[in-house]
Amino acid sequence: MQVSSFLIFLLAFFIYVPVIQSQDNSLVTGKVLNREDKEPLPFASIRLKNHPIGTISNENGEFDFYIPKSKRNDTLSISFIGFNGYEVPLEIIQGKLVIELSPSYNVLDEIILSEKNPLDYIKKALENLDENYPQNDYQSLAYYRQKFIENGSVINKEEGVFKTYYSKSGDSTDNQHQLLLYKPEEDPKQFQFMREWFEAKQEKRKAKAIRKGEEFDEEEYDSDMDMNFGGPESVINLDINNDRDSYLNPKHFKKYEYSFGEETSLNGERLVTINFKAKRTIDHKKDAGKILINTEDYAIVSIEQTGKFQVPFIVKPILFVMGLKIANPTFNTVISYQKFKDKWYPQLFRWDAKVALTKKHTFEANEKSDINIGQVFFINEIDSLGTSIDEQKRFDAGEDMGEQVHNDINLEWGELNIIKD
């Protein structure tokens, strides 16, 4: 799904802060670092120990975590794969936290000998999906963000809050999403690549309409490129219990190479690393990455995937005629799960795409643009009792986000954890 959205995009384009007490929430703010080199740990998990409520750190390791009033006697738990976790009672937190996590070398002193090969672990993990993931319907509240970056500058951003209904593991019913809150960028910037060409085309359309005595609709013929990149569907449906990519599909196992990577850990539990690499292009992409599997229950805890898009052969002649070049179209995907009461629930889905565009000119300098589209969807809160979403309120990826808000629980932005800018 991610690849098709990206290709459609290309085709369409070219044809010190204390704990703050409020009425309902307390705010804990801090930063998560690697103890050894003091580098930030991006997308670290920050959650309550005894309740399925949490947030993640941003790209700089920083976080704001709003704690519900009824949960202030809980313990803050911070974790990051490959590092020892950290816990601190909420009641003793004073001021901004600087949390330094240590690499978990000591956990891996004992070497596990196994007769299993890498693919055996994957097959066992797929067999155990029903046991490791919730066997009942449940729902979540999640924060969604998309950024569109051109040449290092953010030119557009949109945020949303989704309620998602997950059917029990093994059920073929698709996950259902309901958009509760939506926040578009207040002052989006214009996409600069081929700006003059777009504006000239706009003027020609306008002049033609005037000559024919027709009314010219500026919005209908808006020359700005659509920057929502297909919307949230590229990231919100990455749950492996809902849909699985080729490297987890038995039909495609022979198209990949699988090997063992270094063992690691999460909260003291051993994880075996299975590396995968596509032997050839599959569905317009060639990918590689790693799958982290718990050695106790064979749960898939995390997946990291990178790859390159293949521009369809039919498009290349069009690009050549237009003097356009697409270089290094790549993507990255991260899927991670969190353990609560012996079951693994979705925690974080990330999807990013990068591409370098060039417009060749005969008598002028070539135009160049480096584009990065970043999407993130992380679970704030999990409710073990799920209710199917009314069909009229279900999110439709083909419709405009702003017209699909159904906030039937009267949620406000200040009541939810988001990624700190």
Side-chain angles (χ1 to χ4, degrees):
M1 181 177 295
Q2 309 99 287
V3 176
S4 60
S5 296
F6 186 82
L7 295 176
I8 290 172
F9 161 79
L10 292 177
L11 289 170
F13 176 71
F14 294 117
I15 300 247
Y16 176 71
V17 179
V19 176
I20 301 173
Q21 301 294 331
S22 67
Q23 182 178 359
D24 297 312
N25 296 324
S26 296
L27 173 62
V28 176
T29 185
K31 189 171 186 177
V32 186
L33 305 173
N34 182 333
R35 182 182 293 275
E36 292 192 345
D37 57 16
K38 310 304 179 185
E39 288 294 317
L41 294 178
F43 304 105
S45 172
I46 301 97
R47 52 173 290 184
L48 299 183
K49 182 178 181 179
N50 300 307
H51 297 88
I53 300 173
T55 188
I56 59 174
S57 60
N58 65 9
E59 293 86 346
N60 299 313
E62 302 167 328
F63 69 90
D64 287 338
F65 187 16
Y66 290 91
I67 314 296
K69 182 178 180 179
S70 60
K71 309 295 188 298
R72 290 175 187 166
N73 61 345
D74 208 326
T75 297
L76 190 68
S77 177
I78 298 91
S79 61
F80 194 87
I81 290 177
F83 288 75
N84 294 318
Y86 175 85
E87 294 183 355
V88 56
L90 289 172
E91 60 185 13
I92 70 171
I93 296 177
Q94 296 293 330
K96 181 178 180 179
L97 292 173
V98 178
I99 302 158
E100 296 184 351
L101 301 184
S102 302
S104 54
Y105 302 124
N106 59 318
V107 179
L108 306 175
D109 286 343
E110 179 186 348
I111 299 176
I112 296 178
L113 299 178
S114 174
E115 295 181 356
K116 294 184 177 67
N117 63 45
L119 203 51
D120 289 336
Y121 274 92
I122 294 177
K123 292 178 180 178
K124 188 69 173 178
L126 295 176
E127 291 174 5
N128 286 16
L129 284 176
D130 291 348
E131 296 180 17
N132 288 322
Y133 302 91
Q135 296 176 350
N136 59 283
D137 299 349
Y138 65 98
Q139 65 188 37
S140 71
L141 285 180
Y143 168 76
Y144 163 79
R145 186 192 71 185
Q146 175 180 260
K147 281 187 177 181
F148 190 106
I149 300 172
E150 182 185 19
N151 296 328
S153 299
V154 177
I155 61 174
N156 200 7
K157 182 179 77 170
E158 60 183 9
E159 299 170 283
V161 177
F162 283 90
K163 178 173 70 174
T164 298
Y165 166 79
Y166 298 85
S167 58
K168 62 183 179 180
S169 180
D171 192 325
S172 59
T173 304
D174 290 340
N175 296 341
Q176 301 167 4
H177 307 281
Q178 177 180 338
L179 184 61
L180 299 175
L181 295 173
Y182 175 64
K183 184 190 296 183
E185 178 68 36
E186 293 183 0
D187 184 25
K189 306 299 187 298
Q190 287 187 328
F191 184 62
Q192 294 303 307
F193 184 69
M194 295 180 63
R195 169 58 47 190
E196 292 184 3
W197 183 86
F198 278 120
E199 291 180 347
K201 189 174 182 180
Q202 177 85 325
E203 288 301 318
K204 288 182 179 179
R205 286 172 172 168
K206 186 175 182 178
K208 184 177 180 180
I210 293 175
R211 287 196 305 269
K212 293 184 175 181
E214 299 174 348
E215 184 177 351
F216 182 76
D217 189 335
E218 294 281 352
E219 293 185 1
E220 181 180 356
Y221 295 103
D222 187 5
S223 62
D224 283 344
M225 186 182 67
D226 182 6
M227 293 179 295
N228 65 13
F229 194 52
E233 72 272 17
S234 295
V235 69
I236 61 177
N237 290 319
L238 288 176
D239 180 18
I240 62 172
N241 290 290
N242 185 66
D243 189 22
R244 289 186 284 277
D245 215 326
S246 301
Y247 54 84
L248 286 178
N249 188 337
K251 294 181 179 179
H252 296 295
F253 281 165
K254 292 184 179 180
K255 301 176 183 177
Y256 284 86
E257 297 175 354
Y258 297 91
S259 62
F260 284 116
E262 293 185 359
E263 284 191 8
T264 185
S265 67
L266 177 65
N267 295 326
E269 298 192 43
R270 291 180 181 272
L271 306 178
V272 62
T273 300
I274 307 298
N275 298 319
F276 63 89
K277 183 179 180 180
K279 298 177 183 178
R280 57 181 182 272
T281 300
I282 305 172
D283 295 334
H284 301 293
K285 71 176 186 293
K286 189 174 184 180
D287 58 343
K290 59 184 180 181
I291 306 166
L292 302 185
I293 299 176
N294 190 302
T295 59
E296 285 284 330
D297 56 15
Y298 294 94
I300 295 176
V301 176
S302 177
I303 299 172
E304 296 180 16
Q305 176 194 30
T306 62
K308 293 183 178 180
F309 296 112
Q310 182 184 59
V311 179
F313 180 79
I314 193 172
V315 179
K316 292 183 179 180
I318 301 175
L319 299 178
F320 178 79
V321 171
M322 296 181 67
L324 297 172
K325 179 181 178 181
I326 301 176
N328 301 321
T330 61
F331 69 94
N332 296 275
T333 302
V334 175
I335 303 171
S336 66
Y337 292 84
Q338 55 187 320
K339 196 173 188 179
F340 183 71
K341 293 184 177 180
D342 296 324
K343 296 295 180 183
W344 293 90
Y345 293 84
Q347 180 180 41
L348 171 66
F349 302 148
R350 285 175 50 209
W351 189 79
D352 302 271
K354 296 180 180 180
V355 63
L357 303 177
T358 301
K359 168 63 175 174
K360 297 180 181 180
H361 295 288
T362 304
F363 302 107
E364 300 176 5
N366 293 340
E367 292 182 66
K368 295 184 178 182
S369 182
D370 291 324
I371 299 172
N372 185 358
I373 300 96
Q375 296 182 336
V376 61
F377 182 83
F378 81 84
I379 310 302
N380 266 252
E381 185 174 346
I382 293 172
D383 188 339
S384 59
L385 298 177
T387 303
S388 180
I389 295 173
D390 291 342
E391 189 171 353
Q392 296 91 343
K393 298 179 181 179
R394 292 178 191 175
F395 180 74
D396 184 346
E399 301 295 330
D400 184 79
M401 285 187 68
E403 298 177 357
Q404 296 190 72
V405 177
H406 300 283
N407 190 4
D408 51 12
I409 62 174
N410 297 318
L411 185 69
E412 297 181 4
W413 279 103
E415 299 174 329
L416 198 85
N417 292 296
I418 65 174
I419 299 178
K420 186 173 183 178
D421 278 332

